[in-house]
Amino acid sequence: MKSPGFFLCYFEATRQCDQGCPNCMTEPAAPPVRAELSTDEAKRLVLDELKAICPKGAVSFSGGEVLQRTDHLELIAHNAQNGLYTFVNTSGNGLDSAKLKRLKNAAAGRLTLGFSLDSVDEDIQKKCRSGSRERLERLLRLCDENTVPYFVLVTISKQNLESLKSTMSWLSEKRIAVIRSPFVPRGAAAKVPHLCVDRNDMRSKIHPALRDNPMSYVSYTPFFAAPDATHLTLGGRGLNLGNLGCQAGRTFIGINAEGDVAPCVHLLDSPVCCGNVRKQPLSAILAESEIVRTLRGDRPIKGKCGRCRYGDSCRGCRALAHYLSGDYLAEDPTCFFEPESRETRSPYEEMQTANARLFLSHLVQNPPWSDIFGAQGRLGVTLLNLKARLKALVGNR
């Protein structure tokens, strides 16, 4: 397999967690059916394989709560020694300056934390997950004091639709990078599939709340930026809008605590499984899996996504396609755009193209992304001359 220019593995290193979120995707079986990967297995079968696959990639450690693994610092240090960047998705429960310093040292300084906030409304937040805006503010101050970059993950379901606009406005005012995550009926959430959003929700509430904010342009579908006019000039590497729509199986995979591999973290524990690292090397799985080969092919998606102008840069959410239709290659059931052909343009194309350029420019100028994509960073790019406008919209952190 040809080494990709950038590759991210979302590694759910454990199902252990102390938060008790009502719709946890990684709810453990009781009793456990299989043992979680040991320290040695995690190093050899996941982290060392990822180094071979993409020496300039990144690992996003998660769970459950990854900080509940007693060996989490050892795994992060091993990842850093391999030269890969480290993201840690955590509730932040019990995190203080001393613990954060240990995390940062283990990651050799190349660390970004990911926190979750589903709503600025306290009552809605409690229905969705543990934590609160106040706890998040404490964690963000802690990161700022220790110069550790961060982002916020917002999982969108019917439970938090009404407060989504105010939540996104609050995050935008604070110039915080946002990753939107779709609610899927995985784990404990399988009991409440009615909380999945539909295309009317996407049209009337979700897309309007996301599209105006350049800092939310990650793994974002439906995505209507012009596929032929939104490339940065790269030093022999590929960073373009193809890296901003659904990345399932292309520059992104998920691995669960027992070693199963899926093209997306939301597809872990589902029939869309590419293999298991205990049975086959990860490099072989990615090279030989029919699912991965299909997703990396030339526009494999079906229905209106297959005839859409944005079929390559957006691709539609593969996880929602699977859960809501049973076919991971089906059209995105939440997309409200109805293209007649590949020539049909969305009325939001101009806006999203401009904002996507701003977002890509932000990536190459600000940590941690500049370490991965920046002009002096690990991939090397030539910046677009958008610095002044970017400052006005998202500021510098």
Side-chain angles (χ1 to χ4, degrees), residues 167-240:
T167 301
M168 290 299 299
S169 295
W170 183 79
L171 292 166
S172 179
E173 288 169 4
K174 291 185 172 294
R175 302 185 178 99
I176 298 172
V178 179
I179 296 179
R180 83 88 179 95
S181 178
F183 177 93
V184 298
R186 176 192 167 204
K191 303 168 188 173
V192 285
H194 61 280
L195 294 181
C196 291
V197 300
D198 56 37
R199 67 185 59 191
N200 289 327
D201 298 327
M202 183 65 71
R203 177 193 297 110
S204 63
K205 291 186 172 67
I206 302 171
H207 207 261
L210 294 178
R211 65 184 174 230
D212 289 341
N213 181 7
M215 296 298 285
S216 69
Y217 278 35
V218 175
S219 188
Y220 176 16
T221 61
F223 193 67
F224 303 128
D228 56 351
T230 50
H231 294 253
L232 285 174
T233 302
L234 307 175
R237 303 283 185 172
L239 175 66
N240 54 52

Side-chain angles (χ1 to χ4, degrees), residues 7 79 172 337 356 363:
F7 191 78
N79 187 60
S172 179
F337 185 49
L363 291 188

Side-chain angles (χ1 to χ4, degrees), residues 299-334:
R299 198 181 282 241
I301 45 183
K302 303 173 184 177
K304 66 181 182 181
C305 288
R307 66 175 182 270
C308 182
R309 169 173 169 79
Y310 314 101
D312 291 318
S313 54
C314 168
R315 288 218 172 185
C317 179
R318 297 302 93 216
L320 287 173
H322 164 71
Y323 286 110
L324 300 183
S325 76
D327 181 358
Y328 75 97
L329 294 176
E331 65 183 47
D332 185 337
T334 67

Side-chain angles (χ1 to χ4, degrees), residues 91-103:
S91 68
N93 188 40
L95 191 64
D96 58 23
S97 185
K99 292 178 181 178
L100 184 53
K101 284 181 169 66
R102 288 196 290 272
L103 284 173

Side-chain angles (χ1 to χ4, degrees), residues 23-160:
N23 301 317
C24 176
M25 287 200 309
T26 57
E27 181 183 49
V33 177
R34 296 177 294 168
E36 296 183 352
L37 295 174
S38 66
T39 303
D40 178 67
E41 287 177 317
K43 288 180 179 179
R44 288 188 300 106
L45 305 181
V46 177
L47 302 180
D48 290 348
E49 282 283 303
L50 288 168
K51 176 186 176 182
I53 291 166
C54 183
K56 296 177 180 178
V59 178
S60 183
F61 292 90
S62 184
E65 175 52 72
V66 65
L67 301 188
Q68 291 209 342
R69 271 194 73 133
T70 57
D71 60 356
H72 68 273
L73 291 176
E74 184 177 352
L75 294 181
I76 291 170
H78 189 80
N79 187 60
Q81 290 163 10
N82 280 348
L84 275 66
Y85 197 91
T86 297
F87 294 87
V88 173
N89 287 29
T90 175
S91 68
N93 188 40
L95 191 64
D96 58 23
S97 185
K99 292 178 181 178
L100 184 53
K101 284 181 169 66
R102 288 196 290 272
L103 284 173
K104 187 175 180 180
N105 289 337
R110 292 183 290 113
L111 171 71
T112 293
L113 294 189
F115 304 112
S116 293
L117 181 73
D118 289 351
S119 179
V120 293
D121 182 292
E122 183 177 355
D123 291 335
I124 295 175
Q125 174 71 12
K126 287 179 180 178
K127 292 178 182 178
C128 296
R129 65 167 67 244
S130 66
S132 64
R133 177 168 58 175
E134 288 70 27
R135 183 168 80 177
L136 176 62
E137 289 177 319
R138 179 188 70 81
L139 292 167
L140 300 187
R141 287 194 299 270
L142 185 65
C143 287
D144 286 337
E145 291 165 3
N146 289 274
T147 60
V148 173
Y150 50 80
F151 63 88
V152 169
L153 183 79
V154 179
T155 299
I156 302 175
S157 73
K158 286 185 178 292
Q159 281 187 310
N160 63 342

